Amino acid sequence: MKVLVTGTAGFIGFYTVLKLLQQGHEVVGLDSINDYYDVNLKYGRLRESGIDKSDLEYGSLVQSTTYPEYRFIKLKLEDKESLNMLFKTERFDAVCNLAAQAGVRYSLENPDAYINSNIVGFMNVLEACRHNNVRNLSYASSSSVYGLNECMPFSTIHGTNHPVSLYAATKKSNELMAHAYAHLYGIRCTGLRFFTVYGPWGRPDMAPFIFTKAAFHGDTIKVFNNGKMKRDFTYIDDIVEGVVRVIENPCRGDSAWTGKAPDPSSSSAPYKVYNIGNSQPVELMTFIEAIEKAADVTIEKDFQPIQPGDVVATYADVSGLEQDFAYRPTNSVADGMQKTVAWYKQFYNL
């Protein structure tokens, strides 16, 4: 297939491109390369995939020097006219939308960025798919949509009507918008609710990266909820395996679905939502200990109360992906952090 992947200077998008290329697909990557976090890391990911910073010009496709079947374009999803032209010119078979303004706490400080990128940008993607006959759309949602829900493990049959951050609300909105377009226009829309993803080239605003950095620079880390948080930490290779299976197998409508007893994760329309995670939640202190062991140091800790917008625990029921795609995460936290710490040392020349 010819696949557009948005957010390819980002963590999950970068790995998704590499996996799709490995599978034999042609890929166009898209990213705005905003400065929400260190752009040098974003340019480093692009460089790994054969895209040099010096060749980038807004709105122009750049050919990878490493992968013949990969091209990249610097573009904002909010730029509707340029996005439509890209779709019209390239005639994609599938789109995987991983671009978004990420982060829960940042949404408290800069809410406009979330509306522009996650709502307006996603709307532009849906419209571009509609008008250019793209009938295979997968997109990033988030475990944060579960909000005040306290039923564990989080299941796609649970309600998601009580978000506790604007970021979560935008991701819930994406799912609703996707269903409308699946119903109205027959676009096969599959949403993936990501749980905590970590690994080499990870996001520097996420706890795994922050803790790894602290291990090598002697920083004191803030441990929220006094370390009693639990997260469904999932290694990047396991995540991307699930993402690519979804791209290659677009969903169909469920003929057994009924509005009298509606399953929120599926529909009579070609619409599906999956959790994607490790389904083995790990206490934050256990995760920190894995970093300490991999780096052979003890990290200084400042124990703090829970922060507004934070969720005490995330725990994914991934039975949907298991049943439909034989999805099975295989990487342990200990092994994953060994690889992550080794990458960190190499990238920062430590």
Side-chain angles (χ1 to χ4, degrees):
M1 293 187 296
K2 187 176 189 178
V3 186
L4 172 68
V5 182
T6 71
T8 50
F11 180 31
I12 299 174
F14 161 65
Y15 279 97
T16 298
V17 165
L18 298 183
K19 183 69 174 179
L20 285 167
L21 292 169
Q22 180 187 325
Q23 297 286 91
H25 301 291
E26 179 184 352
V27 182
V28 172
L30 178 153
D31 205 291
S32 67
I33 319 179
N34 68 28
D35 60 359
Y36 167 62
Y37 61 75
D38 183 10
V39 294
N40 290 319
L41 191 59
K42 298 183 178 184
Y43 287 127
R45 296 186 190 117
L46 289 173
R47 188 170 58 248
E48 265 313 276
S49 58
I51 305 295
D52 191 86
K53 174 183 176 181
S54 63
D55 294 330
L56 297 179
E57 182 180 338
Y58 185 84
S60 296
L61 282 161
V62 176
Q63 174 64 52
S64 168
T65 57
T66 308
Y67 300 99
E69 297 300 311
Y70 181 46
R71 290 171 297 150
F72 174 83
I73 186 168
K74 182 178 179 181
L75 199 67
K76 293 182 178 181
L77 293 183
E78 303 97 296
D79 185 348
K80 185 173 184 176
E81 184 177 345
S82 297
L83 188 68
N84 284 337
M85 184 60 65
L86 178 68
F87 270 73
K88 184 177 180 180
T89 303
E90 295 297 325
R91 312 306 299 178
F92 300 112
D93 300 304
V95 174
C96 181
N97 184 58
L98 300 174
Q101 178 57 59
V104 170
R105 293 186 191 117
Y106 187 63
S107 68
L108 304 177
E109 305 164 15
N110 194 357
D112 290 349
Y114 291 77
I115 300 302
N116 292 334
S117 179
N118 300 3
I119 302 295
V120 176
F122 188 61
M123 181 67 187
N124 290 343
V125 170
L126 287 167
E127 278 287 280
C129 287
R130 171 193 173 192
H131 291 294
N132 292 280
N133 201 35
V134 179
R135 292 294 177 264
N136 179 356
L137 172 65
S138 48
Y139 62 94
S141 185
S142 169
S143 61
S144 65
V145 300
Y146 289 105
L148 294 178
N149 173 48
E150 296 181 0
C151 298
M152 293 288 169
F154 289 153
S155 169
T156 54
I157 66 169
H158 293 159
T160 53
N161 292 325
H162 300 90
V164 293
S165 69
L166 181 64
Y167 169 69
T170 64
K171 287 301 184 180
K172 171 66 174 178
S173 299
N174 287 173
E175 295 179 3
L176 297 173
M177 294 160 72
H179 183 269
Y181 272 67
H183 175 75
L184 291 170
Y185 308 114
I187 301 172
R188 298 182 185 183
C189 294
T190 305
L192 291 166
R193 292 175 179 168
F194 291 107
F195 284 68
T196 307
V197 188
Y198 74 98
W201 295 102
R203 273 173 40 198
D205 60 321
M206 298 282 285
F209 192 105
I210 293 169
F211 297 164
T212 302
K213 180 182 178 183
F216 288 101
H217 297 279
D219 301 334
T220 299
I221 62 172
K222 292 181 179 181
V223 182
F224 294 107
N225 202 34
N226 297 305
K228 297 301 180 184
M229 311 282 268
K230 281 190 174 183
R231 290 291 179 266
D232 207 328
F233 292 105
T234 315
Y235 189 65
I236 184 62
D237 288 359
D238 291 324
I239 287 290
V240 170
E241 185 67 36
V243 173
V244 171
R245 290 185 192 184
V246 164
I247 294 170
E248 293 179 334
N249 298 277
C251 67
R252 297 181 181 275
D254 181 359
S255 59
W257 191 90
T258 170
K260 293 180 179 178
D263 173 1
S265 71
S266 64
S267 175
S268 54
Y271 168 87
K272 189 71 178 177
V273 174
Y274 294 103
N275 287 334
I276 182 166
N278 200 35
S279 72
Q280 294 181 351
V282 175
E283 193 166 276
L284 193 55
M285 288 306 300
T286 302
F287 190 80
I288 293 169
E289 288 164 7
I291 299 172
E292 291 176 325
K293 184 176 180 181
D296 194 26
V297 299
T298 299
I299 303 172
E300 290 294 320
K301 304 167 190 71
D302 175 17
F303 291 94
Q304 297 265 335
I306 194 168
Q307 299 294 289
D310 274 351
V311 179
V312 174
T314 61
Y315 175 8
D317 175 353
V318 297
S319 57
L321 277 182
E322 289 175 353
Q323 291 165 12
D324 293 349
F325 302 104
Y327 175 74
R328 295 281 191 283
T330 59
N331 290 273
S332 69
V333 163
D335 290 343
M337 281 315 306
Q338 285 285 353
K339 297 171 188 174
T340 304
V341 167
W343 166 81
Y344 187 93
K345 290 171 68 175
Q346 180 182 27
F347 185 74
Y348 290 102
N349 298 312
L350 299 175

